[in-house]
Amino acid sequence: MKTSIKTFRVILLVFICFYSMAVVYFAFAAFSGQYFTPEKLYRTSFFGDLIKPNFYAYYVFNLLTDIFLIYSLLQLLKITDFFKEQNYFTPKIIRLLKSSGRNFIATALIGVLGTILYNYMFTEHPLERMFMPFIHHFMILILGLGILVIEEIQKRALHIKSENDLTI
Amino acid sequence: MAIIVNLDVMLAKRKMKSKELAEIIGITTANLSILKSGKAKAIRFSTLEAICKALDCQPSDILEYVED
């Protein structure tokens, strides 16, 4: 296996581990009541002036984003398993790329909704604060679309490979 | 497919086994089997030349066009 693929695999694995730990920690902090915004930043929102429902509404969006992101990263990790076995063009890789790309897009879209919800509920200047997270989600969207483009290229490559394999 | 491979007919005419032909032309028996069964998508000129030489025949004896 090439060094670049090995490095990608290691970094991805480390990132998934840290990210999963962060998600678990955040869940623990949220459900034990440690993670609340100061009341001065709190404003009336979808659930009136109830802090907990507002926070948990945001938390659900955040958790969904995390689940989709971790799932899509795990799929990318699974793809590298095929590279280990020298299988570069298989229908399974195409399916994984398609699923991973769609999950990245879902991560970006849910992330945008979560950002709007969070900033609307818990920040003083929502529009200013939303700018950077939007760029972050936009990059994830581009990543997802890029993976879908690679999936199309893989489809074509698989077709050429099967033609090549069946040329006697 | 519109192109029919009549390799087995030629092999029978020349009383030659697939394994023998595969050895002469230098391809694996698995690949020869793909060619015989019509699963092959293309054939190299070099392979066709070797088959024609080994079976002493013309390409038209091996490949035939049939309208669908």
Side-chain angles (χ1 to χ4, degrees):
Chain A
M1 199 160 52
K2 281 198 167 184
T3 322
S4 58
I5 298 172
K6 269 184 193 168
T7 315
F8 174 71
R9 216 180 131 74
V10 170
I11 288 176
L12 201 60
L13 204 61
V14 170
F15 182 77
I16 291 169
C17 287
F18 277 111
Y19 201 86
S20 306
M21 274 156 55
V23 169
V24 171
Y25 172 74
F26 186 59
F28 173 74
F31 288 108
S32 60
Q34 295 169 29
Y35 193 83
F36 280 112
T37 309
E39 273 187 42
K40 68 181 180 69
L41 289 179
Y42 178 73
R43 65 172 62 84
T44 304
S45 184
F46 302 111
F47 298 100
D49 56 355
L50 296 167
I51 292 178
K52 276 194 173 178
N54 276 316
F55 175 74
Y56 288 125
Y58 155 70
Y59 179 73
V60 167
F61 269 97
N62 204 38
L63 192 67
L64 274 176
T65 313
D66 294 338
I67 289 170
F68 274 108
L69 186 65
I70 291 172
Y71 186 56
S72 44
L73 290 173
L74 282 172
Q75 282 171 322
L76 287 184
L77 195 69
K78 212 172 174 184
I79 289 170
T80 57
D81 286 341
F82 286 92
F83 295 163
K84 244 191 338 190
E85 295 155 11
Q86 304 287 320
N87 287 333
Y88 292 95
F89 309 104
T90 62
K92 180 82 179 162
I93 287 181
I94 293 171
R95 275 200 299 277
L96 284 170
L97 279 172
K98 192 176 189 176
S99 173
S100 179
R102 283 179 178 179
N103 284 334
F104 270 116
I105 292 168
T107 305
L109 297 179
I110 298 170
V112 166
L113 291 175
T115 304
I116 293 169
L117 199 66
Y118 177 81
N119 287 288
Y120 176 65
M121 289 191 296
F122 301 117
T123 56
E124 271 180 314
H125 308 288
L127 285 175
E128 286 170 31
R129 289 289 301 275
M130 270 190 256
F131 184 69
M132 279 314 284
F134 272 179
I135 288 179
H136 168 81
H137 295 306
F138 197 67
M139 280 166 69
I140 293 178
L141 183 71
I142 290 170
L143 184 65
L145 291 171
I147 288 173
L148 288 182
V149 168
I150 294 169
E151 182 237 331
E152 282 298 318
I153 296 168
Q154 278 275 337
K155 259 187 206 169
R156 182 80 190 129
L158 183 68
H159 177 72
I160 292 169
K161 185 188 174 285
S162 70
E163 259 188 5
N164 193 42
D165 286 348
L166 291 172
T167 298
I168 312 296
Chain B
M1 209 167 114
I3 302 290
I4 305 289
V5 181
N6 291 321
L7 193 59
D8 40 1
V9 177
M10 279 311 293
L11 280 169
K13 276 184 187 171
R14 299 286 184 264
K15 289 175 185 160
M16 194 186 275
K17 285 180 184 170
S18 299
K19 201 180 167 187
E20 274 178 68
L21 181 68
E23 273 171 21
I24 294 167
I25 63 177
I27 62 170
T28 60
T29 45
N31 276 344
L32 192 68
S33 170
I34 289 170
L35 192 61
K36 271 169 64 183
S37 61
K39 284 179 188 168
K41 289 197 175 178
I43 180 165
R44 289 190 192 90
F45 277 145
S46 55
T47 312
L48 190 61
E49 190 187 326
I51 292 171
C52 288
K53 197 175 172 183
L55 295 176
D56 189 25
C57 64
Q58 291 299 312
S60 58
D61 297 329
I62 299 162
L63 302 173
E64 185 189 350
Y65 173 71
V66 178
E67 231 170 298
D68 285 328

